[in-house]
């Protein structure tokens, strides 16, 4: 296994077992019902999965990013919707870990790691997706704190989150340096309106919502320092892109396994279709693309562990792994023929679930922009 300790290997094995025995058998029902798998989230929390991104001092297991990447991939292989809920929670807790004060970290992170509270990451807006600096949500100082007003869109977990990290403009004249982050406790703050969840193509058990704010916040709701929100968000997304890559390789691996198994059991003219050169070539291409995605993702995770700047590697991992997932799931479905198009098999769900990976947390086009700028800066 790619650079993990014996203790980490044991935890990875435990998560893979839960994924295979619990998540995967109910993934189709989660998709069909579009219901949030709360009991599964509790089971993952009991194993420490909700705090994988956190150090021990804040309730996490203190594992390497490489080990975490293996586990996110395992969860996604069992149920993409569940992995989406978990990784959206990481975006929120990473925001606190990176940008928060010590008091904020101690108040929120241990409870988030245990699954007692669930977080959401409020960055995207109806008119500001790929360029967060164009956001219109504003926070204005008041006598007792801040008045927050604006709308966020496509926010995973927002409908049931206990806290939302909201990014807002506090200095309209300062560009991206005028963006700050706020910790909004949904149980304590009035003036939050959550719309119905969007009817999405995939990851249907991990709903996204529009959430609007017109509320008063206490002074200590400011996450860290004023004007540091954009910097925090970019660091969070660097980490989150590795997690999207991990989800991509997790689902890709399952699609590849199904394709190989099907090619050996499906017969034409008395022979398995694996004997056909056309199928063998498809399997070879699937394997090659998977290995490429796996290695570039683990390399990015390793760089995160070493403390070096991993912006270009995280962008590359997301770009390569998400596009590989699209290719792999489509080819695996093609190998299954008409059966792959039915809901009796998971291939069509895999293909729907991975489609968003080329869009959220920075589209493939944005990743290419990041990579190009990093190469030429």
């Amino acid at each position: 296994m790619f650079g993990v300790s014996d203790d980490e290997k044991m935890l990875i094995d435990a998560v893979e077992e839960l994924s295979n025995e619990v998540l995967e058998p109910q993934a189709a029902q989660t998709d069909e019902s579009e219901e949030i798998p709360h009991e599964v989230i509790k089971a993952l929390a009991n194993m420490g999965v909700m705090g994988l991104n956190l150090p021990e001092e804040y309730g996490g297991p203190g594992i390497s990013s490489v080990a975490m990447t293996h586990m996110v991939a395992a969860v996604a292989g069992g149920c993409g919707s569940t992995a989406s809920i978990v990784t959206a929670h990481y975006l929120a807790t990473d925001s606190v870990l990176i940008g928060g004060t010590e008091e904020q970290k101690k108040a929120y992170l241990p409870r988030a790691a245990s699954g007692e509270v669930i977080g959401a990451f409020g960055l995207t807006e109806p008119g500001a997706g790929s360029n967060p600096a164009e956001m219109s949500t504003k926070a204005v100082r008041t006598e007792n704190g801040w008045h927050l007003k604006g709308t966020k869109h496509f926010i995973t977990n927002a409908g049931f989150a206990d806290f939302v990290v909201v990014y807002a403009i506090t200095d309209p004249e300062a560009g991206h340096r005028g963006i700050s982050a706020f910790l909004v406790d949904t149980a304590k703050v009035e003036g939050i309106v959550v719309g119905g969840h969007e009817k999405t193509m995939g990851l249907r058990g991990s709903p996204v919502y529009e959430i609007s704010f017109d509320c008063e916040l206490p002074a200590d709701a400011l996450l860290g320092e004023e004007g540091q929100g954009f910097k925090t968000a970019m660091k969070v997304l660097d980490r989150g892109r590795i997690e999207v890559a991990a989800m991509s390789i997790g689902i890709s691996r399952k699609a590849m396994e199904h394709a190989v198994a099907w090619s050996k059991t499906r017969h034409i003219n008395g022979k398995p279709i694996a004997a056909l050169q056309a199928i063998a070539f498809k399997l070879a291409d699937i394997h090659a693309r998977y290995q490429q995605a796996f290695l570039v993702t683990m390399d990015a995770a390793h760089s995160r562990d070493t403390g070096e700047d991993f912006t270009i590697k995280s962008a590359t991992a997301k770009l390569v792994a998400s596009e590989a997932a699209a290719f792999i799931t489509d080819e695996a479905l093609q190998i299954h023929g008409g059966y792959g198009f039915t809901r009796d098999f998971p291939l069509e769900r895999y293909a729907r679930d991975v489609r968003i990976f080329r869009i959220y947390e920075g589209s493939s086009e944005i990743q290419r922009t990041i990579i190009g700028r990093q190469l030429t800066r």
Side-chain angles (χ1 to χ4, degrees), residues 26 37 145 164 208 211 237 263 290 297 307 336:
Q26 69 179 58
V164 184
V208 296
I211 179 169
L237 290 174
S263 73
Y290 173 78
T297 299
H336 282 72

Side-chain angles (χ1 to χ4, degrees), residues 16 73-74 248-258 290 328:
E16 288 184 342
S248 298
I249 62 174
I251 295 176
S252 293
R253 182 176 65 184
K254 285 292 183 178
M256 179 171 62
E257 290 172 354
H258 280 284
Y290 173 78
I328 290 167

Side-chain angles (χ1 to χ4, degrees), residues 209-377:
Y209 306 82
E210 184 169 274
I211 179 169
S212 297
F213 304 89
D214 190 356
C215 52
E216 302 298 326
L217 301 178
D220 61 4
L222 177 67
L223 186 67
E225 298 180 11
E226 185 177 351
Q228 294 298 302
F230 186 83
K231 184 178 179 180
T232 296
M234 294 305 101
K235 288 183 178 180
V236 169
L237 290 174
D238 277 347
R239 295 157 73 101
R241 285 168 183 147
I242 300 176
E243 290 148 23
V244 175
M247 293 167 66
S248 298
I249 62 174
I251 295 176
S252 293
R253 182 176 65 184
K254 285 292 183 178
M256 179 171 62
E257 290 172 354
H258 280 284
V260 171
W262 181 257
S263 73
K264 294 191 290 186
T265 57
R266 176 66 169 167
H267 285 66
I268 294 180
N269 296 327
K271 294 182 179 180
I273 61 172
L276 301 173
Q277 188 179 65
I279 301 299
F281 279 9
K282 284 184 180 295
L283 293 173
D285 287 341
I286 287 173
H287 174 76
R289 291 290 293 272
Y290 173 78
Q291 289 296 321
Q292 179 188 39
F294 177 84
L295 291 172
V296 75
T297 299
M298 292 301 172
D299 181 55
H302 176 70
S303 292
R304 173 176 161 179
D305 283 332
T306 62
E308 65 183 275
D309 186 339
F310 59 93
T311 295
I312 190 170
K313 288 189 175 183
S314 67
T316 303
K318 182 183 183 296
L319 175 65
V320 171
S322 65
E323 297 201 346
F327 173 83
I328 290 167
T329 55
D330 188 67
E331 287 290 83
L333 191 156
Q334 186 75 11
I335 288 170
H336 282 72
Y339 291 99
F341 197 64
T342 71
R343 294 187 182 182
D344 294 331
F345 290 77
L347 282 306
E348 60 85 28
R349 185 178 77 252
Y350 294 158
R352 287 187 288 107
D353 282 353
V354 303
R355 185 60 186 87
I356 191 62
F357 297 162
R358 288 179 282 160
I359 298 175
Y360 70 5
E361 293 189 42
S363 66
S364 290
E365 291 76 17
I366 292 297
Q367 302 316 307
R368 288 182 168 91
T369 300
I370 293 170
I371 294 165
R373 287 176 178 170
Q374 289 285 312
L375 290 173
T376 57
R377 67 178 181 177

Side-chain angles (χ1 to χ4, degrees), residues 122-125 127-128 131-142 145-152 165-182 184 213 215 217 222-223 225-231 233:
L123 182 65
T124 301
E125 297 188 1
N131 184 7
E134 294 181 346
M135 70 174 62
S136 59
T137 298
K138 292 181 173 61
V140 179
R141 282 189 182 274
T142 65
W146 299 86
H147 181 80
L148 177 68
K149 186 171 184 177
T151 298
K152 299 295 180 178
V165 178
V166 181
Y167 292 83
I169 296 170
T170 51
D171 184 353
E173 305 301 321
H176 68 267
R177 292 183 178 86
I179 295 174
S180 303
F182 294 85
V184 180
F213 304 89
C215 52
L217 301 178
L222 177 67
L223 186 67
E225 298 180 11
E226 185 177 351
Q228 294 298 302
F230 186 83
K231 184 178 179 180

Side-chain angles (χ1 to χ4, degrees), residues 71-140:
M71 283 182 267
V72 170
V75 173
C79 177
S81 291
T82 300
S84 178
I85 291 170
V86 171
T87 54
H89 178 70
Y90 294 160
L91 294 176
T93 54
D94 274 342
S95 296
V96 180
L97 180 67
I98 292 169
T101 64
E102 190 63 28
E103 291 77 11
Q104 289 168 332
K105 294 175 187 179
K106 289 179 178 178
Y108 281 88
L109 295 183
R111 293 189 297 142
S114 69
E116 179 186 344
V117 296
I118 299 295
F121 179 74
L123 182 65
T124 301
E125 297 188 1
S130 296
N131 184 7
E134 294 181 346
M135 70 174 62
S136 59
T137 298
K138 292 181 173 61
V140 179

